[in-house]
Amino acid sequence: MDGFSELQDFVARRRRLFVLTGAGCSTGSGIPDYRDADGQWKRKPPVNFQAFMGEAATRQRYWARSLIGWRRMRDARPNGAHRALARLEERDKCEMLLTQNVDRLHQAAGSRNVVDLHGRIDRLRCMGCGRYSPRDAFQRELGRLNPDWLDKDAPEAPDGDADLEGADFSAFVVPSCAICGGVLKPDVVFFGESVPRERVEAAAQSLARADAMLVVGSSLMVYSGLRFVEWAARDGKPVAVVNRGRTRADDLLTLKVEANCEDALAFLL
Ligand SMILES: [Zn+2]
């Protein structure tokens, strides 16, 4: 039994779903994820906030890899899982779509009521003056300042990163904010950084209005996502999960579908 008809039934019986999505939703668009089916790291953990802010060398390494990895990230397109969830919203059955992904593919697929829990990779924020700027313009600037790096290639890694190892990053030029000279950082929540409180509160209020929760493509290993399942369970709301492999909330679930996200949600299309 694959659980697909149970999932269809789960969705049909609810009026307003609070949806949480993770990396498994975007792997079908060619964006790799961090964890294996057991919820363990497949690769080195991503960059840490304190290291990024505190060390120029960490920023050089981050942006050199990102110069290469961003190209594939920018060109990624939504897959059937994103389209299925946009359809759920069209049918007025989606209270909120909360995503742990920073790729903006839900918005590209037409979903409007989306909260980017961990931010968005398509823009930068100056840590000095708070100004936002587009990642594409920064990409051109990185290329202009580091022309020797433009023809390098490396296997893609999650979040617009590339597995470029063994290079000497010390000559890589990283521009600062043109207004205040501050450190420019992708507008995403790094490891070691917390999600802005107002973002969590808005999502919690949405969850309170929903009559059930649906998790798509997340192993819930990160507490920033797991807590929503804990709150739903505490309030007696049923929770269904579509994910390959185990999740950190397996004992709280009403329904677990171990499958590819696109396949499991195909009934919505
Ligand atoms: Zn600034």
Side-chain angles (χ1 to χ4, degrees):
M1 189 184 293
D2 53 22
F4 289 5
S5 58
E6 288 82 356
L7 181 65
Q8 188 165 1
D9 187 53
F10 181 92
V11 170
R13 280 191 287 136
R14 270 69 200 205
R15 286 186 309 113
R16 305 290 286 170
L17 289 164
F18 179 87
V19 182
L20 173 68
T21 69
C25 203
S26 289
T27 49
S29 294
I31 297 174
D33 54 1
Y34 286 111
R35 294 175 191 275
D36 62 19
D38 212 28
Q40 304 300 313
W41 293 110
K42 281 180 186 175
R43 56 184 78 239
K44 281 188 213 164
V47 66
N48 168 280
F49 177 70
Q50 279 73 22
F52 185 90
M53 292 305 297
E55 304 162 7
T58 297
R59 293 194 293 275
Q60 286 174 308
R61 180 174 181 277
Y62 178 89
W63 286 118
R65 291 166 59 108
S66 177
L67 173 64
I68 296 161
W70 168 250
R71 296 179 280 214
R72 273 178 290 234
M73 187 81 180
R74 178 191 55 201
D75 296 340
R77 292 292 171 263
N79 64 62
H82 300 108
R83 286 191 292 275
L85 292 171
R87 194 67 62 83
L88 193 70
E89 185 183 280
E90 271 171 33
R91 292 183 192 171
D92 204 26
K93 290 193 67 128
C94 185
E95 177 63 38
M96 172 181 279
L97 203 173
L98 181 66
T99 184
Q100 299 174 302
N101 301 337
V102 297
D103 53 37
R104 303 281 289 176
L105 290 178
H106 287 299
Q107 290 89 345
S111 284
R112 278 179 290 205
N113 192 13
V114 183
V115 168
D116 299 307
L117 184 63
H118 294 160
R120 47 192 286 189
I121 196 89
D122 65 341
R123 66 180 189 184
L124 311 183
R125 181 163 178 266
C126 172
M127 300 305 280
C129 67
R131 193 174 76 108
Y132 293 105
S133 55
R135 178 67 177 78
D136 270 334
F138 192 69
Q139 181 78 1
R140 289 192 291 275
E141 184 68 357
L142 285 178
R144 193 181 65 77
L145 294 168
N146 303 279
D148 295 350
W149 291 75
L150 282 174
D151 52 4
K152 290 192 198 305
D153 202 5
E156 59 192 348
D159 294 346
D161 188 17
D163 275 327
L164 182 66
E165 293 295 345
D168 177 8
F169 299 107
S170 63
F172 193 85
V173 182
V174 179
S176 307
C177 174
I179 310 291
C180 78
V183 170
L184 297 172
K185 179 181 163 293
D187 186 25
V188 302
V189 176
F190 277 176
F191 278 77
E193 191 179 10
S194 47
V195 176
R197 208 175 67 183
E198 62 277 11
R199 209 178 285 167
V200 177
E201 282 170 4
Q205 286 168 13
S206 241
L207 176 60
R209 290 190 295 269
D211 59 359
M213 180 167 177
L214 172 64
V215 180
V216 180
S218 175
S219 55
L220 299 166
M221 288 297 152
V222 182
Y223 181 68
S224 68
L226 173 68
R227 62 185 152 189
F228 291 97
V229 177
E230 292 179 344
W231 293 340
R234 179 199 62 199
D235 294 344
K237 297 180 202 276
V239 181
V241 170
V242 178
N243 191 59
R244 279 196 191 282
R246 67 179 281 264
T247 81
R248 203 169 145 198
D250 278 352
D251 53 343
L252 299 175
L253 307 180
T254 312
L255 174 64
K256 170 95 181 279
V257 182
E258 295 219 25
N260 172 286
C261 302
E262 293 193 71
D263 296 343
L265 297 177
F267 70 92
L268 288 165
L269 298 167

